């Protein structure tokens, strides 16, 4: 016997994932079914007759009578034809009914079809299927011609709530209900060529009487006995029923939060799913986070949001991300165009190189510096004034500072070529310097360091304590760190001109330094690299692995890249002291590494072997040669390199006259229109 229960109504929306052409199906359930109830007999089509649900014999109080629905084409054929001609102009609707005897009714409203299916529970426990023409409608796209917005309900004062009645909790819907609702005109039995076995109904009744766990056990045993073709059929039937476009159902904020976990490549693929996904995938804030993850600080033309197509505004952050991606691909695998060749300094050695914006400054032992345009390749200015070779330089905007063997520093205006200040004080070659703001610290072979104001040309402080030539220096605006040939690294307070720490541990000359305000990293001729704490002066790690002099280093966050005279490059984590990668293998440099730079993706290295190589930072794999001099191996050398996001500048020459002294400028930029 069926349970007596009040009518409940629930709307279940099933939308095929990413399939806007498939009809949406709405299921109206008005039933409470006990698990132990049986479904007896196959579904039967309704015969033509008079009456409707809620009227006729059952409405009069008789039980067990089947309600007839007039659906015969002979009775209402002309009317149906007229309705079909008017369907495109009329509004579709649906409703629920219940017999006065409390019999329960299923309603299936299938959009895109021309009928309504519903089942009625009779008093003897059976189900009777009814078919009737669908109500007039204007649109085939849903109840009101548009998809329901996420979170919207049909039961708050809308026209549909007046038709459907109040919303109440729904009983659990069986998979057969969902399947038939979603399939529309499809029948429960999908294999019409096979007659149902006579024991099928008894088998189904037995299954229906079992408890939930017993049903699961039975299903598990059944699956074990199925052939692969039968399992495949089950998957084809079941899997589509649970596909949902969950992104479109979520509020926009939550949908964007979900999409934020996708990689950019997957986000671009998601944008091709449907129109709404594309709108989400163009969200400017979403791409801003992707840019920040890649270290892209600001998009080009931030204020200009281009109209991609009607209704779509192209995100400037996405534009910046795509541009950077194409630039990275140009570095990695793009065609290497012929570089700009900047010739100067005759056959002298280019000792120092600076690159900022579109301005290149090269210093040489010919006593001059030259200012070049990275765009045109022209020599804009030649800075003449030193009486000895230039061995160190720094640059900020149009200000250039140089140090020379003539024991002076000079401050230049790169735009005019004018020498603004000549800084006197050192008694030997100015071998190194570091600029921060308007102050520069210089280190000399006279074993001292001096702090200068480049605007006034005054020497503010003199730092004395080393007993051999100062080879490298770093300055962060508060502390000065210096490395010298006396095997020590010193930390200075420039305002008090006092040495706060002397870091001892190296057993040979210190040639290179890096300082990030917290950690000091020093490289020495003793083959080791040491990581120090600037506050305590303690040695945190000793990085062993190189076999010779560490000629150059670069530190970013906790990643250190070191180049060595043993022809290898190593990548370290200074917090753990571990060597993450060693850049070597069949394509490694064949001679000492002279200079290096790295970004978030690549490491660029130059060598005495006349090559500039590109490596993958994360994997340590060799990518390709960016420069390979024909004289490499016979005297051709790449002395210095400087790189920006889109350009690479190489200072090239030789020690035996086999290669002309020059600058090579390679461009990896891209123009996205």
């Amino acid at each position: 016997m069926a349970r007596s229960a009040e009518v409940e109504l629930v709307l279940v929306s099933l939308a095929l994932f990413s399939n806007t052409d498939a009809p949406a199906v709405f299921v109206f359930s008005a039933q409470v079914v006990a698990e132990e109830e049986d479904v007896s007999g196959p579904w039967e089509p309704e015969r033509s007759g008079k009456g409707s649900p809620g009227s006729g014999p059952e409405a009069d109080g008789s039980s067990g009578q089947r309600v007839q629905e007039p659906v015969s084409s002979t009775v209402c054929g002309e009317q149906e034809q007229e309705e079909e001609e008017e369907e495109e102009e009329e509004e579709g609707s649906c409703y629920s009914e219940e017999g006065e005897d409390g019999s329960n009714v299923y309603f299936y409203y299938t959009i895109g079809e021309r009928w309504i299916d519903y089942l009625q529970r009779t008093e003897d426990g059976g189900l009777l299927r009814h078919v009737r023409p669908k109500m007039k409608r204007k649109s085939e796209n849903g109840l009101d011609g548009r998809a329901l917005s996420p979170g919207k309900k049909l039961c708050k004062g809308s026209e549909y709530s007046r038709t459907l009645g109040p919303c109440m909790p729904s009983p659990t819907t069986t998979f057969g209900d969902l399947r038939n609702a979603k399939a529309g005109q499809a029948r429960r039995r999908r294999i019409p060529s096979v007659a149902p076995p006579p024991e099928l109904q008894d088998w189904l009744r037995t299954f229906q009487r079992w408890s939930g766990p017993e049903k699961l056990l039975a299903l598990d045993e059944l699956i074990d006995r199925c052939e692969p073709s039968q399992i495949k059929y089950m998957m084809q039937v079941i899997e589509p029923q649970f596909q949902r476009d969950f992104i479109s159902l979520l509020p926009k904020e939550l949908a964007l939060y979900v999409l934020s976990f996708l990689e950019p490549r997957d986000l671009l693929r998601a944008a091709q799913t449907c129109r709404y996904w594309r709108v989400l995938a163009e969200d400017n804030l979403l791409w801003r986070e992707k840019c920040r993850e890649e270290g892209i600080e600001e998009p080009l033309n931030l204020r200009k949001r281009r109209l991609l197509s009607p209704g779509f505004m192209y995100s400037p952050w996405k534009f910046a991300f795509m541009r950077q991606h194409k630039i990275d691909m140009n570095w990695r695998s793009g065609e290497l165009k012929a570089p700009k060749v900047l010739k100067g300094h005759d056959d002298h050695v280019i000792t120092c190189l600076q690159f900022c914006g579109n301005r290149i400054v090269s210093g040489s032992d010919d006593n001059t510096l030259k200012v070049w345009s990275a765009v045109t390749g022209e020599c804009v200015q030649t800075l003449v004034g030193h009486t000895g070779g230039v061995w160190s330089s720094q640059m900020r905007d149009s200000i250039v500072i140089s140090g020379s063997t003539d024991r002076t520093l000079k401050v230049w205006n790169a735009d005019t070529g004018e020498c603004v200040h000549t800084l006197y004080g050192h008694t030997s070659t100015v071998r190194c310097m570091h600029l921060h703001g308007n102050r520069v610290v210089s280190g000399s072979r006279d074993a001292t360091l001096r702090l200068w104001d480049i605007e006034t040309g005054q020497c503010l402080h003199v730092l004395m304590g080393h007993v051999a030539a100062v080879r490298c220096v770093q300055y962060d605006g508060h502390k000065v760190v210096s490395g010298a040939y006396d095997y020590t690294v010193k930390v200075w307070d420039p305002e008090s001109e006092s040495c706060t720490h002397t870091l001892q541990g190296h057993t040979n000359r210190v040639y290179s330094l890096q300082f990030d305000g917290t950690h000091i990293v020093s490289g020495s001729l003793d083959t080791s690299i040491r990581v120090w704490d600037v506050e305590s002066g303690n040695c945190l790690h000793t990085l062993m692995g190189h076999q010779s002099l560490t000629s150059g280093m670069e530190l970013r966050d906790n990643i250190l890249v070191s180049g060595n005279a043993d022809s290898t490059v190593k990548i370290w984590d200074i917090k753990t002291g571990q060597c993450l990668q060693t850049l070597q293998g069949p394509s490694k440099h064949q001679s000492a590494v002279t200079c290096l730079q790295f970004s978030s993706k690549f490491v660029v290295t130059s060598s005495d072997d006349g090559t500039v190589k590109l490596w993958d930072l994360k994997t340590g794999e060799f990518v390709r040669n960016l420069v390979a001099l024909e004289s490499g191996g016979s005297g051709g050398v790449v002395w210095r390199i400087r790189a920006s996001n889109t350009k690479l500048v190489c200072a090239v020459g030789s020690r035996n006259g086999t290669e002309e002294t020059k600058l090579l400028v390679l461009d990896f930029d891209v123009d996205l229109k």
Side-chain angles (χ1 to χ4, degrees):
M1 290 292 292
R3 289 185 184 176
S4 176
E6 61 182 7
V7 177
E8 296 182 22
L9 186 63
V10 66
L11 173 63
V12 181
S13 174
L14 304 176
L16 283 177
F17 175 72
S18 305
N19 189 351
T20 56
D21 295 329
V25 181
F26 297 91
V27 182
F28 299 90
S29 171
Q31 168 186 33
V32 180
V33 182
E35 284 188 354
E36 64 271 14
E37 288 182 347
D38 298 335
V39 179
S40 59
W43 290 10
E44 299 177 4
E46 178 58 51
R47 302 180 185 89
S48 62
K50 296 182 180 180
S52 61
S55 64
E58 288 192 5
D60 294 335
S62 60
S63 61
Q65 300 298 322
R66 296 184 177 181
V67 180
Q68 303 298 318
E69 184 70 19
V71 296
S72 172
S73 61
T74 60
V75 176
C76 51
E78 294 180 0
Q79 181 180 358
E80 288 181 358
Q81 183 176 2
E82 293 176 359
E83 289 175 354
E84 290 174 9
E85 293 173 354
E86 297 172 355
E87 272 184 330
E88 298 304 322
E89 303 297 329
E90 297 172 349
E91 181 70 15
S93 62
C94 51
Y95 62 94
S96 64
E97 297 184 49
E98 180 187 16
E100 293 181 2
D101 61 348
S103 58
N104 299 312
V105 181
Y106 274 122
F107 283 89
Y108 294 93
Y109 187 119
T110 306
I111 299 168
E113 301 300 331
R114 300 179 180 275
W115 48 265
I116 299 175
D117 243 1
Y118 64 88
L119 297 179
Q120 184 174 20
R121 172 75 69 185
T122 61
E123 194 171 87
D124 60 1
L127 288 176
L128 180 60
R129 177 166 175 265
H130 299 266
V131 181
R132 61 176 293 170
K134 190 166 66 172
M135 303 292 290
K136 295 180 180 181
R137 65 189 188 280
K138 286 184 179 179
S139 171
E140 293 290 335
N141 296 327
L143 295 178
D144 62 349
R146 64 184 183 275
L148 294 175
S149 300
K152 300 294 184 183
K153 298 183 179 179
L154 287 175
C155 55
K156 286 194 176 179
S158 68
E159 146 182 23
Y160 309 110
S161 66
R162 292 193 295 273
T163 304
L164 300 175
C167 286
M168 299 180 181
S170 171
T172 302
T173 304
T174 66
F175 184 77
D177 301 335
L178 299 179
R179 177 186 175 189
N180 281 280
K182 190 167 186 177
Q185 72 273 25
R187 299 299 184 262
R188 179 182 293 274
R189 187 158 51 87
R190 288 192 170 187
I191 310 177
S193 61
V194 179
E199 301 87 358
L200 178 61
Q201 294 302 321
D202 293 335
W203 182 59
L204 293 176
R205 291 191 193 98
T206 302
F207 182 82
Q208 190 68 20
R209 284 196 297 268
W210 289 338
S211 65
E214 289 172 337
K215 290 179 180 178
L216 293 177
L217 179 61
L219 289 174
D220 194 41
E221 294 293 334
L222 180 63
I223 291 172
D224 287 343
R225 287 163 174 74
C226 287
E227 298 175 0
S229 61
Q230 296 160 352
I231 296 294
K232 182 179 180 181
Y233 173 76
M234 282 192 285
M235 292 179 62
Q236 291 172 344
V237 172
I238 294 173
E239 189 172 342
Q241 313 302 322
F242 295 97
Q243 293 177 340
R244 300 288 189 278
D245 182 2
F246 67 97
I247 291 295
S248 298
L249 296 175
L250 290 173
K252 182 178 180 181
E253 293 78 6
L254 291 180
L256 289 173
Y257 180 72
V258 172
L259 293 180
S260 69
F261 289 93
L262 294 180
E263 294 295 328
R265 177 178 296 180
D266 298 327
L267 197 57
L268 295 174
R269 290 174 178 170
Q272 303 175 40
T273 303
C274 64
R275 181 180 181 87
Y276 182 66
W277 281 43
R278 189 177 184 187
V279 171
L280 292 176
E282 286 292 333
D283 185 77
N284 203 40
L285 296 181
L286 180 63
W287 282 102
R288 183 183 70 178
E289 294 305 313
K290 298 299 179 185
C291 285
R292 288 182 176 177
E293 291 173 5
E294 295 296 319
I296 303 172
E297 297 298 332
E298 185 175 354
L300 298 176
N301 302 322
L302 180 59
R303 297 181 181 179
K304 297 180 181 179
R305 298 199 65 179
R306 298 188 302 156
L307 187 66
L308 185 65
S309 62
F312 289 102
M313 298 302 293
Y314 200 88
S315 163
W317 282 103
K318 180 181 177 180
F319 181 84
F321 187 95
M322 297 299 295
R323 176 178 180 271
Q324 184 58 50
H325 173 71
K326 289 185 175 293
I327 290 172
D328 291 341
M329 293 306 297
N330 280 347
W331 279 91
R332 183 180 293 274
S333 57
E335 179 185 359
L336 289 175
K337 301 177 182 178
K340 289 185 175 65
V341 179
L342 285 56
K343 294 184 179 180
H345 300 294
D346 299 328
D347 293 329
H348 291 269
V349 175
I350 296 177
T351 56
C352 52
L353 182 66
Q354 302 296 324
F355 179 30
C356 180
N358 287 319
R359 184 181 283 118
I360 303 168
V361 177
S362 58
S364 171
D365 62 356
D366 66 358
N367 304 350
T368 68
L369 298 99
K370 290 185 178 291
V371 182
W372 312 82
S373 169
V375 178
T376 64
E378 295 180 312
C379 179
V380 180
Q381 300 289 344
T382 299
L383 309 181
V384 179
H386 281 296
T387 58
V390 177
W391 281 90
S392 58
S393 65
Q394 290 279 278
M395 180 173 64
R396 189 199 67 207
D397 299 329
S398 61
I399 300 298
V400 177
I401 304 101
S402 58
S404 169
T405 58
D406 65 8
R407 301 171 292 181
T408 67
L409 290 85
K410 288 185 179 289
V411 181
W412 309 85
N413 185 320
D415 292 332
T416 64
E418 175 190 4
C419 178
V420 180
H421 299 291
T422 299
L423 312 181
Y424 296 98
H426 284 297
T427 58
S428 188
T429 300
V430 180
R431 191 63 182 82
C432 56
M433 64 176 65
H434 193 250
L435 175 66
H436 184 88
N438 292 325
R439 295 185 175 186
V440 64
V441 177
S442 58
S444 171
R445 286 181 178 169
D446 63 10
T448 67
L449 298 106
R450 291 176 178 263
L451 180 63
W452 311 83
D453 187 318
I454 61 173
E455 291 186 346
T456 63
Q458 290 182 323
C459 179
L460 303 178
H461 303 286
V462 179
L463 309 178
M464 303 177 64
H466 282 296
V467 294
V470 178
R471 182 63 176 77
C472 46
V473 64
Q474 293 278 289
Y475 177 49
D476 69 348
H478 303 285
K479 291 181 173 63
V480 174
V481 180
S482 59
Y485 286 172
D486 60 7
Y487 308 173
T488 67
V489 176
K490 287 184 179 289
V491 182
W492 309 85
D493 178 1
E495 297 301 322
S496 63
E497 299 184 358
S498 61
C499 176
T500 57
H501 295 294
T502 298
L503 311 181
Q504 296 179 328
H506 284 297
T507 58
N508 213 320
R509 295 177 174 181
V510 178
Y511 274 84
S512 55
L513 274 180
Q514 290 290 293
F515 176 44
D516 62 5
T518 303
H519 300 95
I520 301 168
V521 184
S522 56
S524 169
L525 187 59
D526 64 9
T527 74
S528 73
I529 299 173
R530 291 180 177 263
V531 182
W532 315 81
D533 182 89
V534 70
E535 296 297 333
S536 65
N538 294 330
C539 181
L540 304 178
H541 303 288
T542 300
L543 312 181
M544 304 298 297
H546 284 303
Q547 305 300 318
S548 186
L549 165 68
T550 298
S551 53
M553 296 188 301
E554 188 170 351
L555 176 65
R556 181 175 299 173
D557 297 326
N558 62 311
I559 300 299
L560 174 76
V561 180
S562 61
N564 199 270
D566 64 5
S567 76
T568 66
V569 179
K570 288 183 179 290
I571 303 172
W572 313 82
D573 185 334
I574 64 169
K575 290 186 177 179
T576 63
Q578 292 183 332
C579 178
L580 304 178
Q581 303 288 346
T582 298
L583 310 186
Q584 54 185 2
S587 300
K588 78 179 186 71
H589 286 296
Q590 302 302 310
S591 188
V593 176
T594 56
C595 195
L596 63 85
Q597 270 194 267
F598 78 97
S599 65
S600 60
K601 293 184 177 67
F602 304 118
V603 181
V604 185
T605 59
S606 64
S607 169
D608 270 345
D609 62 9
T611 64
V612 177
K613 295 180 181 291
L614 183 69
W615 311 80
D616 188 287
L617 177 68
K618 293 182 179 179
T619 65
E621 295 178 353
F622 170 77
V623 178
R624 62 170 172 169
N625 283 326
L626 300 177
V627 173
L629 301 177
E630 293 182 0
S631 59
S634 60
V637 177
V638 181
W639 286 309
R640 296 285 183 271
I641 58 172
R642 285 291 182 270
S644 67
N645 184 40
T646 59
K647 289 182 173 62
L648 172 67
V649 182
C650 311
V652 171
S654 70
R655 295 187 175 88
N656 56 10
T658 57
E659 187 70 41
E660 187 178 10
T661 299
K662 58 192 173 186
L663 297 175
L664 302 178
V665 182
L666 286 78
D667 195 345
F668 301 93
D669 203 354
V670 62
D671 182 20
L672 288 181
K673 296 183 179 179

